[in-house]
Amino acid sequence: MHPISDQFRQALTTSHTIVTRVDAYYDGALTASEVPIESGTVTVDRGSKVRRALSLSVSDIRLLPWDVRDPLASYGQQLVVSRGIRFAGGATEMVPLGTFRINEPSGDVYAGPVSVTGQSAECHIQEDKFLAPTSTRGYGTCVEAITFLIRQTLPNAAVVNLTADGRNPVCPVVTWDVNADRWDAVAQVATAMHAEIYVDSLNRFVITDVPNVLTTPVAWEISEGEKGTLVSASRQMPRTNVFNAVMVSSENTTANVAPVSAVAYDNDPNSPTRWGGPFGRVAKAYSSALLTSRTACQTAANYMLADAIAPNIQTSISSIPNPALEGGDCLRVIYANGKKELFTVQSLSIPLTAEGEFPLTLRGGKETTP
């Protein structure tokens, strides 16, 4: 979660005045300050290759682009978005929501409004397919390899390693073929170091631990009742994306390593997803040339199994908006019946106007004692 003051936290639970700011940039220069908007949403989704997406309705029809260099055109123009609170004394605290490359502006040339969509910077990496075979040779660690792959596309990109232990293991030599997806390559290196990578609200490529409700500190508490922020909640418990075995394999011709593989099973006799139990046998397969030994494959399989067997209790809630939340944050939800559960945020949609709703999809579900 983006850092916020205690005053901001307290204001979220009471009536408050929101402030939204949208600025347009082209090639690093400000081209339109405080773009007037009628409505808008920033969506954050851990399940998407591009973590952050923007949808805007702009009230000023004069901003409908006619030239490729206009502020809201789609030739590299960006929108920097933030939302905050204006306190009673007039002071304002803003929270960044992201930097978005404009993808598709449109609108009626006479009546408007101007509709704009955008995405965070993963989209640049994803679109930049390899034009020649590309190798990690010469880049000793995983973070160095990730930085190299990203800065081939965005030379000034900020890449930060926020894993709890600052791990940065040696990166095996691997080669990707022509036309391979560069962002998939980046994600594979992150997975090899038992981490995930995404673009955050500050427009940084962040390497971080895969969230776990058992170890991740609680970022925010959502409760019902007086001074609570929970509006509504519904629950689902699908089998989708629940596995009780993970098979990891590798074949790396660049490093002249023979094919290797390993399997991790849920063998806990008390687990509802135990291999061969009532849940059945549901295996997940993962392959990466970055895992060059059976030990590396086994370690990766064991690591991935913990997430694979996590209860897929999907709780969809509506809450008072908290713009500081990030995908992967750990939340504690307190219901009126006294039950408490810990979840990780899978996705959320942050409204840019006071009328917008704030739906969150939460995953995991770990009941805690009252």
Side-chain angles (χ1 to χ4, degrees), residues 46 191 196 210 239-249 261-266 275 279-287 297 300-310 363:
R46 287 191 64 238
T191 299
E196 65 181 16
V210 176
R239 290 172 56 96
T240 309
N241 295 323
V242 179
F243 305 90
N244 52 12
V246 177
M247 181 178 69
V248 175
S249 60
S261 64
V263 183
Y265 298 95
D266 180 4
W275 181 257
F279 183 77
R281 297 185 175 190
V282 188
K284 175 181 180 178
Y286 177 79
S287 180
C297 288
N302 294 343
Y303 186 81
M304 295 171 70
L305 180 66
D307 183 62
I309 64 176
R363 185 174 185 268

Side-chain angles (χ1 to χ4, degrees), residues 4 15 32 44 58 65 70 72-73 75 96 118 164 167 210 229 267 286 299 310 317 334 350 361:
I4 52 176
S15 178
V44 182
V58 177
D70 285 344
L72 300 188
Y75 284 81
R167 60 185 172 276
V210 176
T229 57
N267 290 322
Y286 177 79
T299 301
I317 69 174
I334 304 175
I350 304 166
T361 299

Side-chain angles (χ1 to χ4, degrees), residues 16-348:
H16 58 271
T17 301
I18 77 162
V19 183
T20 301
R21 182 173 181 130
V22 178
D23 294 326
Y25 289 82
Y26 180 64
D27 199 22
L30 179 68
T31 56
S33 178
E34 299 189 49
V35 174
I37 65 170
E38 293 182 352
S39 60
T41 302
V42 169
T43 299
V44 182
D45 187 353
R46 287 191 64 238
S48 173
K49 280 188 176 183
V50 178
R51 176 69 65 104
R52 315 180 84 85
L54 173 70
S55 177
L56 274 185
S57 180
V58 177
S59 55
D60 190 346
I61 188 59
R62 293 173 296 178
L63 288 173
L64 180 67
W66 292 80
D67 185 83
V68 296
R69 292 179 178 81
D70 285 344
L72 300 188
S74 56
Y75 284 81
Q77 285 83 344
Q78 295 178 317
L79 295 177
V80 178
V81 183
S82 58
R83 169 179 163 145
I85 292 176
R86 180 175 291 117
F87 303 117
T92 299
E93 182 176 346
M94 301 298 291
V95 173
L97 296 182
T99 298
F100 302 89
R101 185 197 66 184
I102 295 175
N103 282 349
E104 186 176 348
S106 63
D108 186 292
V109 298
Y110 300 110
V114 183
S115 297
V116 180
T117 59
Q119 293 178 303
S120 51
E122 299 98 335
C123 64
H124 294 284
I125 314 302
Q126 188 178 359
E127 291 177 349
D128 186 14
K129 310 294 185 184
F130 293 122
L131 299 181
T134 301
S135 170
T136 58
R137 191 180 303 279
Y139 298 89
T141 68
C142 286
V143 174
E144 288 175 352
I146 286 172
T147 303
F148 155 67
L149 292 169
I150 289 173
R151 288 184 178 168
Q152 275 195 318
T153 304
L154 300 173
N156 297 318
V159 181
V160 294
N161 180 7
L162 297 184
T163 54
D165 56 3
R167 60 185 172 276
N168 187 14
V170 172
C171 184
V173 177
V174 63
T175 299
W176 289 279
D177 294 332
V178 172
N179 206 39
D181 188 310
R182 182 183 297 270
W183 184 249
D184 282 349
V186 170
Q188 287 171 21
V189 180
T191 299
M193 59 182 289
H194 302 159
E196 65 181 16
I197 184 168
Y198 61 89
V199 174
D200 71 357
S201 62
L202 296 174
N203 201 35
R204 306 177 302 176
F205 288 85
V206 172
I207 305 165
T208 188
D209 298 303
V210 176
N212 184 332
V213 294
L214 300 179
T215 58
T216 305
V218 174
W220 195 41
E221 191 171 272
I222 300 175
S223 61
E224 291 185 273
E226 186 178 357
K227 294 187 178 180
T229 57
L230 182 63
V231 177
S232 63
S234 63
R235 291 169 64 89
Q236 293 177 290
M237 194 182 292
R239 290 172 56 96
T240 309
N241 295 323
V242 179
F243 305 90
N244 52 12
V246 177
M247 181 178 69
V248 175
S249 60
S250 176
E251 182 174 359
N252 189 327
T253 56
T254 301
N256 196 27
V257 175
V260 289
S261 64
V263 183
Y265 298 95
D266 180 4
N267 290 322
D268 182 351
N270 298 316
S271 172
T273 55
R274 66 187 180 278
W275 181 257
F279 183 77
R281 297 185 175 190
V282 188
K284 175 181 180 178
Y286 177 79
S287 180
S288 172
L290 290 155
L291 305 169
T292 56
S293 68
R294 188 183 183 283
T295 298
C297 288
Q298 189 66 65
T299 301
N302 294 343
Y303 186 81
M304 295 171 70
L305 180 66
D307 183 62
I309 64 176
N312 197 17
I313 300 172
Q314 296 181 5
T315 298
S316 300
I317 69 174
S318 181
S319 165
I320 302 300
N322 180 353
L325 288 177
E326 175 63 83
D329 280 345
C330 180
L331 304 185
R332 179 182 288 115
V333 178
I334 304 175
Y335 303 100
N337 60 10
K339 287 185 177 292
K340 299 180 180 180
E341 285 185 301
L342 297 176
F343 294 95
T344 55
V345 177
Q346 184 67 17
S347 65
L348 67 156

